[in-house]
Amino acid sequence: MSNIIVQVISAGIVTFGFGLLFNIRGRNLVHTSIAGCLSWLCYLLCKNLGLTEEMAYFSASVIIGLYSEIIAIKLEVPSNNILIAALIPLAPGGGVYYTMQNLIYKNYLASFQNGIQTFLLAGSMALGVITAIAMLKFYNYMKVWRSNE
């Protein structure tokens, strides 16, 4: 349990640092850090529930996509301000590193396997964000449609 807490706090600190790097200020920086913590917590919970790596990345991306869109509406800022830095803890940097390392050492099969896994993780993240945006757009459409009846 304490390991999970340390990891979530570390994800928040990393997100805070990237938020500073991306020139995010004030309340947006706080919400960006919260989104980073939330993304890693969701990922860890999904992994503990036995979901695959890809599904854990997808679920975490949906959660932070929804969070960033809702907070962006409340704060009246672009959702990218919160979303981009919040995705940093999920970024599959290790997979890219091992893909390149195996490629340099001419271990082409391992390089290909790592590359495919990294591509699947990045695709899961992108699909999760797209799903979150589509869910909110559909919700808003239904809300307007019901009010016009």
Side-chain angles (χ1 to χ4, degrees):
M1 182 66 171
S2 64
N3 187 27
I4 291 175
I5 294 170
V6 169
Q7 287 185 40
V8 169
I9 291 172
S10 298
I13 292 169
V14 166
T15 306
F16 185 86
F18 272 94
L20 290 175
L21 185 68
F22 295 152
N23 205 21
I24 299 172
R25 304 255 186 239
R27 294 183 303 175
N28 296 347
L29 187 58
V30 172
H31 287 290
T32 300
S33 298
I34 292 169
C37 290
L38 191 62
S39 69
W40 196 249
L41 179 64
C42 181
Y43 168 76
L44 291 175
L45 290 176
C46 289
K47 287 299 288 178
N48 285 339
L49 290 174
L51 273 80
T52 64
E53 193 87 8
E54 294 83 10
M55 283 304 297
Y57 270 72
F58 175 78
S59 301
S61 297
V62 168
I63 296 297
I64 61 170
L66 289 171
Y67 178 81
S68 66
E69 288 288 326
I70 291 168
I71 293 300
I73 291 168
K74 289 189 184 287
L75 297 179
E76 297 177 353
V77 296
S79 64
N80 289 347
N81 287 358
I82 297 166
L83 181 65
I84 300 302
L87 286 171
I88 294 296
L90 294 176
V96 174
Y97 172 80
Y98 290 120
T99 300
M100 294 283 86
Q101 182 184 36
N102 286 319
L103 194 61
I104 289 169
Y105 291 136
K106 298 184 189 315
N107 190 354
Y108 299 118
L109 182 59
S111 175
F112 182 73
Q113 289 172 340
N114 285 330
I116 293 296
Q117 180 66 22
T118 303
F119 180 75
L120 288 173
L121 294 178
S124 296
M125 289 172 58
L127 193 58
V129 171
I130 291 168
T131 301
I133 293 169
M135 287 168 56
L136 281 176
K137 296 287 183 195
F138 182 72
Y139 172 77
N140 288 334
Y141 173 77
M142 292 303 290
K143 192 165 65 171
V144 169
W145 182 67
R146 286 183 190 253
S147 68
N148 289 333
E149 280 187 352

